Amino acid sequence: MSEDNFLQPEDDTAIPVVNPEENFPGLYGYVKAKFEEAENGRYIYEQRWLQAYKNFRGVYDSTTTYRDSERSRVFVRITKTKVLAAYGQIVDILFANKKFPLVVQHTPVPEGIAEFAHMETPLDQMQQEDPYGFAGDGREMLPGALGAEPSNNFLGGLQGEYGQLPLAEGPAKMGEPQINPAQIAALNMEKVIHDQLLDTNAVNVFRNAIFEASLLGTGIVKGPFNFYKRVHQWGRNEDGEREYQPYEKVVPRIEMVSAWDFHPDPSATSIDDCEYVIERHRMNRQQLRALIKRPHFIAEAIEECLAKGPNYEDKYYEDTIREDETEPYVSESRYEVLEYWGVLDSKLAKDAGFEEADMMSEFDELQVNIWVCGNMILRCVLNPFTPARIPYQVFPYEVNPYQLWGVGVAENMEDAQKLMNGHVRMAIDNLALAGNLVFDVDEASLVPGQNMDIFPGKIFRRQSGVTGTAINGLKFPNTAGENLQMYQISRQLADEETGIPSIIHGQTGVSGTGRTAAGLSMLMGSAGLSMKTVVKNIDDMLLKPLGEAYFQWNMQFNDDAPDIIGDLEIKPRGVAAVMQKEVRSQRLTTLLQTVANPMLAPFVKI
């Protein structure tokens, strides 16, 4: 997808655009100060991510010290196996079925639309003609009640589809036809959201975010934003020949944001608690120039940034994660662009030229979106979303209490990885000594000037009259067995620390409980328990807020979406998918046990 097709969701008439010729006193410094504050606030987490990445890649860092006697530098990459096992298991749970794990349902008491509607009866017509009824019909007006005209607008956004039918609000009597307007509206919205997720390859975005959450502990998804998608279509021209007739349509698109580029408010404990969020972009000339085609970007400022030349400076961690130490000029053709989403106080808003700031008190704030490159403001507009929100969803692999950043698989097993590496290195160093003989040579017993090389048939000349053995072969003690035993204990410790048993990623030689089908099913079921917590985090902090964001996007920007009046409820189905797999496994096990009964076997069609 080309960069110029990726557009922010703004309406030119509703969003005030700042005059590009005006200066922005203090605005650049404000964004830069916030960026430095966020960067300093996450330093300790960057150290953890670096260690997690090095353990995943199997690389010793500069802090690893060796004894002079150590020769081996082997790294046992169990961290990589565990991270990939966790990632594969989560993706299998969420996306194994064809349906996306997200449903839209109406609330128990829908507002603005009826829960049930039925075919109109003569009694309904009589009630509409005489809303006050008659004495004894059970519909007397209580003292203090006010009369109101009967309303037929109970179909909400389905008025165009069902408005011509003789329908009345409320459930039907047994055997009579009825519809559920609230449920129909929710299913229509669910269908639209699923189609949009499919159109923009959202599953690939989720996979990338889930992988980084498994490795570093936190996954980030950005969006949805407007994206003009080209639909490939073929038709026939006037001559009846096939002709390529593509067209473009606006769809919401999401993208994955790396934790290395994400700089939130350092004092926040969740994305809802963030006062601001800054995303750091690493752009080449083509990507920076493509911003001109996007709405509300200041072309003159972008051209000036291009004229000044690249300004990107590598951070201390980038040589490690990008593995570009051998290319010293790799960053000389890149530009650093900061994307700010957050609040702006009334004074700065007035200086930036926002008309809304004139009607604000000095204690009020505006939600804005600002893009900065170098010391130039590339874009400065109000937050385009209604209601205003920061368009990022941040979910942890494992919740770190009181912190925005989560804990990943690599961090959980960091100590176990060090233990495994240490004991394997000791075993190899010991085997290097114990694998051959060590010779004790009495040179006084030998004729001087002899070659000490050892080979089959070697002859040593001894001095005459000297007693005793001149050359003794000594075998070095072999302690590799004890070291490998400690390695196995450390590997089991990694299983317990991560909650991912080795049986999940194909451990061979399973004994004990895992030797039977029922025992293996029980082990796999218990192994899935640790994943339930992770999937629940994804449900609560990714799928649910993202589904709500898609609903709000459709209500604000999609004219073809069904009109939903009232409050819908977005329900993620990730944990339900875990339960379905467990129930299915239990039922299959029960079936196999039933078939084993010779009395019932003839009646079961295998």
Side-chain angles (χ1 to χ4, degrees):
M1 300 297 182
S2 59
E3 183 71 20
D4 55 343
N5 284 339
F6 184 63
L7 303 178
Q8 304 282 5
E10 281 94 20
D11 182 2
D12 292 346
T13 60
I15 305 296
V17 185
V18 181
N19 187 346
E21 296 182 358
E22 292 182 6
N23 293 325
F24 298 89
L27 199 56
Y28 160 74
Y30 176 80
V31 174
K32 202 69 176 176
K34 291 293 184 183
F35 175 72
E36 292 178 358
E37 175 186 333
E39 193 175 28
N40 294 333
R42 69 169 208 173
Y43 176 77
I44 186 172
Y45 299 101
E46 292 171 356
Q47 303 303 309
R48 296 177 183 174
W49 299 342
L50 273 177
Q51 187 61 52
Y53 178 75
K54 290 175 181 177
N55 287 345
F56 177 80
R57 294 284 296 142
V59 177
Y60 287 111
D61 60 6
S62 57
T63 62
T64 304
T65 56
Y66 304 95
R67 294 190 303 272
D68 294 338
S69 60
E70 285 191 89
R71 296 291 181 267
S72 174
R73 299 290 187 269
V74 66
F75 197 111
V76 186
R77 285 192 278 187
I78 303 298
T79 298
K80 177 182 178 180
T81 305
K82 295 290 185 187
V83 169
L84 294 180
Y87 163 69
Q89 195 172 5
I90 296 171
V91 170
D92 181 56
I93 290 171
L94 293 178
F95 306 116
N97 298 326
K98 295 181 179 179
K99 191 174 182 181
F100 199 83
L102 193 70
V103 298
V104 182
Q105 297 178 348
H106 63 84
T107 53
V109 183
E111 300 177 4
I113 190 170
E115 185 176 4
F116 299 105
H118 61 274
M119 295 297 293
E120 199 173 57
T121 63
L123 181 60
D124 296 320
Q125 296 177 357
M126 183 178 66
Q127 291 176 355
Q128 291 179 7
E129 295 172 359
D130 183 14
Y132 304 110
F134 52 87
D137 67 349
R139 297 190 294 115
E140 294 88 352
M141 293 186 63
L142 299 177
L146 300 177
E149 292 295 328
S151 173
N152 296 324
N153 190 21
F154 55 86
L155 294 175
L158 303 176
Q159 190 71 32
E161 186 175 356
Y162 296 98
Q164 305 301 323
L165 299 178
L167 297 175
E169 185 176 0
K173 295 181 180 179
M174 184 174 296
E176 296 180 357
Q178 74 174 12
I179 62 172
N180 302 348
Q183 183 180 0
I184 293 173
L187 289 176
N188 288 343
M189 177 56 69
E190 178 185 325
K191 189 175 182 180
V192 169
I193 292 177
H194 281 197
D195 180 67
Q196 292 168 344
L197 290 168
L198 182 64
D199 274 352
T200 55
N201 294 324
V203 173
N204 294 340
V205 176
F206 281 115
R207 284 174 179 164
N208 293 335
I210 290 170
F211 173 76
E212 192 159 273
S214 302
L215 175 60
L216 303 182
T218 309
I220 302 131
V221 174
K222 177 184 179 183
F225 293 107
N226 284 11
F227 174 71
Y228 284 96
K229 179 186 177 182
R230 179 178 290 270
V231 179
H232 303 285
Q233 177 178 275
W234 290 83
R236 294 192 180 272
N237 56 18
E238 297 176 354
D239 300 331
E241 298 177 353
R242 286 191 178 274
E243 185 179 25
Y244 182 53
Q245 299 172 350
Y247 66 93
E248 291 186 345
K249 68 174 183 179
V250 180
V251 295
R253 192 180 83 165
I254 58 176
E255 62 180 8
M256 177 260 187
V257 177
S258 175
W260 298 104
D261 301 325
F262 187 70
H263 298 76
D265 180 0
S267 59
T269 58
S270 67
I271 192 64
D272 296 327
D273 191 32
C274 283
E275 181 181 338
Y276 66 89
V277 160
I278 298 176
E279 182 183 353
R280 180 172 178 255
H281 297 274
R282 184 174 183 259
M283 294 185 174
N284 56 29
R285 292 181 63 88
Q286 180 184 2
Q287 292 170 328
L288 184 59
R289 188 178 289 107
L291 295 178
I292 298 176
K293 299 180 181 179
R294 294 168 62 172
H296 309 317
F297 275 86
I298 304 171
E300 292 83 352
I302 295 176
E303 293 292 346
E304 186 170 345
C305 289
L306 290 170
K308 289 181 178 179
N311 63 344
Y312 190 87
E313 294 183 2
D314 276 343
K315 300 297 181 181
Y316 69 93
Y317 51 80
E318 291 193 84
D319 286 340
T320 300
I321 64 174
R322 302 191 195 280
E323 297 182 356
D324 55 9
E325 297 98 327
T326 58
E327 301 180 24
Y329 307 108
V330 71
S331 63
E332 291 191 0
S333 60
R334 294 293 186 267
Y335 296 83
E336 182 185 67
V337 179
L338 304 180
E339 179 181 359
Y340 174 90
W341 291 86
V343 297
L344 196 66
D345 58 37
S346 59
K347 183 179 183 304
L348 280 174
K350 290 177 183 178
D351 294 340
F354 288 102
E355 296 179 358
E356 285 76 8
D358 297 333
M359 299 176 288
M360 294 165 48
S361 70
E362 59 179 340
F363 303 107
D364 289 336
E365 295 175 325
L366 278 179
Q367 283 279 347
V368 297
N369 174 224
I370 303 172
W371 290 60
V372 175
C373 179
N375 58 355
M376 303 295 297
I377 302 295
L378 307 185
R379 183 177 191 259
C380 183
V381 296
L382 285 179
N383 190 313
F385 299 105
T386 304
R389 65 182 185 274
I390 295 178
Y392 293 88
Q393 287 80 36
V394 180
F395 66 97
Y397 176 87
E398 179 183 306
V399 175
N400 184 5
Y402 323 117
Q403 295 292 338
L404 173 70
W405 305 106
V407 181
V409 175
E411 182 178 343
N412 279 331
M413 60 172 294
E414 181 180 344
D415 291 337
Q417 181 67 69
K418 289 181 179 178
L419 287 173
M420 285 186 282
N421 289 341
H423 286 294
V424 169
R425 292 203 312 266
M426 289 173 66
I428 292 175
D429 287 340
N430 174 257
L431 286 172
L433 295 174
N436 207 338
L437 292 177
V438 178
F439 292 95
D440 176 18
V441 179
D442 183 6
E443 292 187 0
S445 300
L446 299 177
V447 175
Q450 296 191 63
N451 187 358
M452 291 299 173
D453 292 341
I454 303 293
F455 54 86
K458 171 75 174 181
I459 298 175
F460 288 95
R461 296 192 301 276
R462 294 187 54 181
Q463 301 276 10
S464 62
V466 179
T467 60
T469 305
I471 300 175
N472 294 306
L474 305 177
K475 183 172 176 57
F476 199 85
N478 186 350
T479 61
E482 290 83 351
N483 282 314
L484 292 180
Q485 186 177 2
M486 287 301 299
Y487 163 79
Q488 292 293 342
I489 294 175
S490 302
R491 190 179 59 80
Q492 294 173 6
L493 182 62
D495 292 353
E496 295 184 7
E497 287 179 340
T498 59
I500 305 172
S502 298
I503 192 173
I504 293 295
H505 45 80
Q507 177 193 8
T508 57
V510 178
S511 59
T513 310
R515 293 181 61 85
T516 62
L520 184 62
S521 174
M522 187 168 56
L523 287 177
M524 296 296 286
S526 61
L529 292 176
S530 62
M531 286 295 113
K532 278 186 183 178
T533 307
V534 180
V535 175
K536 185 62 177 174
N537 293 337
I538 296 175
D539 278 353
D540 294 341
M541 302 183 196
L542 175 62
L543 295 178
K544 185 176 178 64
L546 190 68
E548 293 172 350
Y550 265 89
F551 169 70
Q552 293 166 357
W553 184 93
N554 282 293
M555 291 293 95
Q556 185 176 359
F557 300 108
N558 190 2
D559 294 333
D560 298 329
D563 292 331
I564 306 298
I565 300 176
D567 44 349
L568 290 183
E569 188 175 6
I570 307 295
K571 283 196 172 181
R573 304 288 294 173
V575 174
V578 182
M579 297 301 296
Q580 279 182 346
K581 294 185 70 174
E582 287 183 3
V583 171
R584 181 176 176 84
S585 174
Q586 292 174 1
R587 287 177 178 173
L588 285 173
T589 305
T590 306
L591 175 64
L592 291 174
Q593 294 173 351
T594 305
V595 176
N597 189 338
M599 297 287 291
L600 298 178
F603 305 99
V604 179
K605 185 178 180 182
I606 296 295

